[in-house]
Structure formats: C-alpha cells, structure tokens
C-alpha cells in the first residue's frame, strides 16, 4: 500500500468514525441528559432530604432512647397497619423510621422521636431514595417508569457513552489541523468555539464519564445480568454455601429490603424453620398459624436489634420484618464506607442468625463492583466524591449542549447535516470489526451498531449504483 493510499484510507476511516460518532451522539443525547441531570441530583439525596424534611428527620438530643417496640407501637397507634420495616436512629440527633403498610395498600414512613415516642409526621415511603421526590429522580435515572424497555435504553446509552468517549478521543487526536487536539478553547465564537468546548470538556472528563457508565452497568438487565452470572460462576462474586444448613426460600433479597449490596440482591433469603406444634410457646413471636401478619413478629424486634448490634452492624441499618410463616428478619446496611456493608437474616421465631455476610465475604469481582457502585453514588469519599462526580455530570450536559449547537450551526437548511458516507469499501469492513468487538462487551450496543451497519451498507450500495447511472445520464 502506497503512502497516498494509506492516507486516503486513514481519511476515509476518520470520516466513518466521525459519522458514527455524530449519529450515535444525537441518538443517545436525550438519555445522556437524563442520566447526567438526575444523577447530579441524586448524588446529594441525603443533603436534599435533610434540608427538605428536617422537621421529620432531626430531633433534639436528650437522655436514653426508647426501645424499638415502644417506637413501633407509637407509630402504629398514629397510623394503623402492618409494620414492614424499622430503621433505628442513625445518629443521636436523628429520628427513628417505621415503614407501615396501611389497609389501602399504601406504604408510608412514619418518623418517631426516639427519646419520647412522639410521632413527628409521615411521608410516602421512597425506599432507598429517602423521600417521594428523590424516588422520582431515581426512577427517572434508570427510566424504570418504562419498565424493562427503559432499562434496556439506559443500558444501551451507557455502553454508547463509553464508545463515544473513545471515538471522540480518536477524532480529537492531532492530524495537522490547528483546531484538532487542542487542550484549551482557542476559538472565540461561532461553531469553532462550540467545537473546542466539546473537545476540551471531553478530553478532560472522559475518564470520569467512562467510569460512571461502567459502574452503572451492573444494575442493567442484560450486561448486569451477564456480569453477575459470570462473577458467580467463576467464584468471584457471591460465594456459595451460606444456606447449606438452612432452608432456602425463593424470594430474592432485593424484594425484602430497600437497599442491599448489589452482589447480594439476587440471592434468595433463607426460610425460618417452622417450629413443632406447641414448641412456639416459649418464643417471643406468635405461632405459625398467626404469623401471616408482620406485626406478629414485633415482640422479637428488640431482641433482633440487640443481636445485630452485638454482631457489629454499623449505624444506618434497617430491619425488615418477616412476611409469612417462614419469613425472616433481615437487617441490612449500605454505609458510605462500603467495607461495612452487611446483610444478616434471623429466624422469625427464635431470633437465631441464619445468615450473615459482608463485604469481606465477597469474591474479587463482587468487591470491585460494590466499590465502584459506592463511588458511582458519591458515597465512598464523601463531599470530594460528590463534587468530582457533579463536575462530571455538568461536563456531560455541556457536551450535549455543545454537540447540539455544532450540529445546528453546520446543518444545511432543511436537512439533518449527517456527515457523508465514505465510499471506500474497506471502511464498512473495519466498522464491522468494531461492531463485533462492541457487541462482545456491550450486547445492546453491538445490536444497535449492527442495525446502523446494515443501514450504512444499504446507503453505500445505493450510492454506488447511483453514481454510474448519473454518469450515463450525462
């Protein structure tokens, strides 16, 4: 291949990558904006909830606190129903939280002063988000309002974000043009200014964007499921053996707790062995035939709390009450320091520990995933973690805005302004290799790339056929 041919092939590949970067960027742009804006808000969910609901979440520090049984009784007296979970005060100046399911099927969080048992108020239960408003933000972040399809869209967008960063770096590399490869904004106005803003922002924040995309993928349906299964199969995720001597249910952990370590969410909870007839007489919980109501297990709650705190469960945990005759108490915590995350299941009749696992019990991939998720949520290093990721989210918004501005300024009147299809037949073959590589690591991205490739090939063939026809017409 001559030097001229190599330059021509390189230029054609550059145009092809630019075309795909352009098209993919415009397609995923709305989803990137959703991820960036909602993610930036959710980084500060605790600060937002504390400020918005200070009268419910904070109390005056006094003497000794009341036991959980007294606080849940006070909550039930004010809001009758079935207690589903209890969260002790995470700090001396914080209230206790009692999640109650009312007769109409609505689950509310009742806030109780732990020093005198006064009910401070109630909010619709927002789960791990902590409030109804942040619950909406969380659902928008994952597009769960659209069901499984929304989850797949966000997964594809996250995968494309990774490829957009790498293709953007390829396009940024210097090729003898002053406007390419810049580390600062050189232009003063117009489309060149937006181009420089887009390139400079991307080159400085690309690593953070890739990190956010990759650490968010464990929650996705296809990529996350395959990663989970692979880690489990290799013995590097959630290890086997914890339930070898305990009856096992079919209920996954994620269905009984608001927040559990990601690697444990799909693991089934154990089942409380049913006591023999009459054997329940000495237990604090009701008999099996009366155990369908979660409130029947409340007499054992104080003992459960004493047990898990004696085992070293750190503050900020919640206890989910058992559901059904074979249900279990589940105490779980997901603190800022991921090394203290833990899940403990206890027998609903005796309070005996059936299962106890934490960060140290996970395999290598499981620990990496948990650490990545903790950083992704802005927890691991506190405020500095939040600020860095907030800047990354702002950068994503800037890149979306600058991309739209560049497109708007370059597009011909009445047309989309998509970069022309390269006429070099070697380029589609190169992109096919890229599609296969992308599909191996990001299945949904690979699928969308193949769809785009089919379209590109069709355009290429149609263009090749038109050119001879136009020449003959002349």
């Amino acid at each position: 291949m001559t030097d001229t041919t190599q330059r021509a092939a390189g230029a054609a590949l550059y145009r092809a990558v630019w075309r795909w970067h352009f098209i993919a960027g415009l397609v995923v742009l709305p989803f990137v904006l959703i991820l960036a804006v909602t993610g930036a808000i959710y980084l500060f969910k605790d600060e937002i909830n504390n400020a918005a609901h200070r009268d419910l979440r904070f109390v005056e520090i006094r003497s000794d606190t009341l036991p959980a049984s007294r606080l849940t009784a006070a909550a039930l007296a004010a809001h009758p129903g079935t207690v589903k979970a209890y969260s002790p005060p995470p700090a001396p100046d914080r209230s206790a939280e009692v999640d109650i399911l009312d007769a109409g099927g609505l689950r509310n969080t009742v806030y109780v002063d732990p020093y005198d048992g006064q009910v401070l108020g109630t909010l619709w239960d927002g789960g791990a988000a902590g409030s109804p408003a942040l619950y909406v933000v969380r659902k928008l972040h994952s597009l769960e309002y659209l069901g499984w399809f929304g989850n797949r869209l966000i997964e594809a967008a996250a995968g494309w974000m990774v490829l957009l960063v790498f293709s953007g770096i390829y396009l940024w590399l210097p090729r003898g043009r002053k406007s390419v490869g810049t580390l600062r904004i050189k232009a003063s106005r117009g489309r060149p200014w937006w181009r420089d803003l887009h390139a400079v922002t991307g080159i400085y924040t690309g690593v953070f964007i890739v990190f956010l995309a990759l650490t968010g993928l464990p929650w996705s349906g296809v990529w996350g499921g395959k990663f989970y299964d692979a880690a489990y199969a290799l013995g590097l995720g959630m290890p086997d053996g914890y339930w070898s001597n305990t009856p096992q249910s079919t209920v996954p952990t994620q269905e009984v707790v608001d927040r559990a370590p990601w690697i444990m969410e799909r693991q089934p909870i154990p089942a409380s062995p049913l006591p023999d007839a009459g054997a329940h007489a000495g237990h604090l919980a009701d008999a099996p035939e009366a155990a369908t109501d979660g409130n029947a297990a409340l007499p054992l709650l104080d003992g459960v709390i004493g047990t898990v705190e004696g085992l070293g469960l750190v503050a900020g945990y919640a206890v989910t009450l058992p559901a059904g005759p074979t249900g279990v108490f589940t105490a779980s915590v997901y603190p800022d320091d991921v090394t203290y995350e833990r899940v403990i299941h206890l027998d609903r009749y005796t309070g005996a520990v059936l299962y106890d696992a934490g960060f140290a019990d996970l395999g290598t991939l499981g620990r990496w995933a948990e650490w990545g998720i903790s950083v992704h949520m802005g927890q691991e290093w506190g405020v500095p973690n939040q600020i860095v990721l907030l800047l990354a989210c702002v950068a994503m918004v800037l890149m979306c805005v600058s991309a739209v501005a560049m497109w708007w300024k370059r597009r011909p009147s009445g047309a989309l302004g998509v970069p022309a299809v390269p006429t070099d037949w070697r380029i589609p073959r190169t992109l096919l290799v890229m599609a296969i590589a992308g599909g191996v690591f990001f299945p949904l991205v690979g699928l969308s790339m193949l769809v785009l490739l089919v379209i590109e090939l069709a355009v290429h063939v149609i263009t090749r056929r038109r050119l001879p026809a136009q020449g003959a017409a002349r």
Side-chain angles (χ1 to χ4, degrees):
M1 182 181 292
T2 66
D3 185 61
T4 302
T5 304
Q6 289 179 340
R7 286 199 301 269
L13 178 60
Y14 179 90
R15 291 195 299 272
V17 173
W18 179 32
R19 178 181 173 85
W20 276 49
H21 186 86
F22 178 92
I23 295 173
L26 288 183
V27 170
V28 304
L29 187 146
F31 305 107
V32 175
L33 281 175
I34 291 173
L35 288 170
V37 174
T38 56
I41 295 172
Y42 203 77
L43 282 170
F44 298 91
K45 69 179 181 66
D46 290 335
E47 291 81 358
I48 294 172
N49 287 332
N50 288 342
H53 306 292
R54 189 169 188 82
D55 56 331
L56 299 178
R57 296 166 71 91
F58 290 88
V59 298
E60 179 186 352
I61 301 176
R62 280 159 282 170
S63 56
D64 295 336
T65 59
L66 298 174
S69 55
R70 293 276 301 276
L71 300 179
T72 53
L76 282 170
H79 299 275
T82 302
V83 176
K84 306 300 291 185
Y86 171 76
S87 300
D93 64 342
R94 294 290 299 275
S95 60
E97 299 178 13
V98 184
D99 294 342
I100 296 178
L101 186 69
D102 64 21
L106 184 65
R107 180 163 167 163
N108 296 299
T109 298
V110 181
Y111 297 84
V112 185
D113 189 319
Y115 296 100
D116 59 15
Q118 178 187 354
V119 174
L120 304 174
T122 182
L123 286 175
W124 176 76
D125 179 31
S131 69
L134 270 297
Y135 175 88
V136 173
V137 171
R138 185 181 184 185
K139 292 296 183 181
L140 287 174
H141 188 69
S142 59
L143 284 187
E144 287 189 36
Y145 287 117
L146 298 180
W148 69 268
F149 182 67
N151 180 275
R152 302 303 188 270
L153 287 175
I154 289 297
E155 177 179 346
W160 270 113
M161 284 166 60
V162 175
L163 298 187
L164 284 171
V165 168
F166 285 107
S167 61
I169 292 173
Y170 171 80
L171 296 174
W172 171 87
L173 292 173
R175 285 177 177 80
R177 287 174 291 176
K178 296 180 179 179
S179 59
V180 180
T182 181
L183 293 174
R184 61 184 179 85
I185 299 176
K186 297 178 179 179
S188 59
R189 59 189 178 84
R191 183 174 175 273
W193 184 88
W194 288 106
R195 180 194 58 210
D196 284 358
L197 175 65
H198 187 84
V200 171
T201 302
I203 207 66
Y204 283 120
T205 61
V207 63
F208 300 102
I209 295 173
V210 170
F211 176 83
L212 284 171
L214 291 178
T215 53
L217 281 170
W219 284 298
S220 64
V222 178
W223 194 96
K226 290 184 179 298
F227 178 78
Y228 188 100
D229 293 340
Y232 184 84
L234 294 171
L236 299 176
M238 185 67 195
D240 265 328
Y242 287 104
W243 293 276
S244 57
N245 298 317
T246 305
Q248 186 173 326
S249 74
T250 58
V251 181
T253 302
Q254 62 186 351
E255 290 189 10
V256 299
V257 298
D258 286 335
R259 181 70 195 276
W262 169 81
I263 201 69
M264 299 182 187
E265 289 179 343
R266 302 185 185 187
Q267 294 297 318
I269 65 172
S272 294
L274 290 172
D276 296 332
H280 62 271
H283 298 151
L284 295 177
D286 283 354
E289 58 270 17
T292 54
D293 185 350
N295 292 348
L298 282 174
L300 201 59
L301 182 58
D302 290 340
V304 166
I305 289 176
T307 298
V308 298
E309 291 188 352
L311 291 171
L313 196 66
V314 299
Y317 69 90
V319 177
T320 303
L321 273 70
T326 60
V328 295
F329 286 95
T330 297
S332 60
V333 65
Y334 197 93
D336 290 349
D337 185 346
V338 73
T339 59
Y340 289 103
E341 70 177 27
R342 201 164 172 188
V343 175
I344 304 175
H345 298 294
L346 304 95
D347 188 293
R348 71 161 295 149
Y349 300 106
T350 66
V353 175
L354 302 176
Y355 168 90
D356 181 1
F359 185 79
D361 297 301
L362 304 179
T364 302
L365 288 180
R367 292 195 297 270
W368 286 357
E370 293 299 323
W371 177 83
I373 289 171
S374 180
V375 177
H376 180 101
M377 297 184 67
Q379 296 180 174
E380 191 66 19
W381 298 303
V383 174
N385 193 164
Q386 292 172 300
I387 292 175
V388 169
L389 295 189
L390 174 63
L391 292 176
C393 291
V394 172
M396 290 163 65
V397 173
L398 282 177
M399 293 182 71
C400 288
V401 172
S402 58
V404 171
M406 285 191 296
W407 164 69
W408 189 260
K409 288 179 176 296
R410 79 176 295 276
R411 69 181 183 89
S413 178
L416 287 177
V418 178
V421 180
T423 57
D424 191 327
W425 179 251
R426 290 166 296 186
I427 300 309
R429 292 205 303 266
T430 304
L431 295 182
L432 178 60
V433 173
M434 294 170 59
I436 293 174
V440 170
F441 199 75
F442 304 114
L444 295 185
V445 171
L447 178 62
S448 60
M449 287 181 74
L450 289 174
V451 171
L452 287 175
L453 184 59
V454 170
I455 296 174
E456 292 280 47
L457 289 172
V459 171
H460 177 79
V461 171
I462 292 172
T463 303
R464 291 281 298 268
R465 289 179 178 177
R466 283 180 178 175
L467 289 176
Q470 290 175 355
R474 290 173 185 168

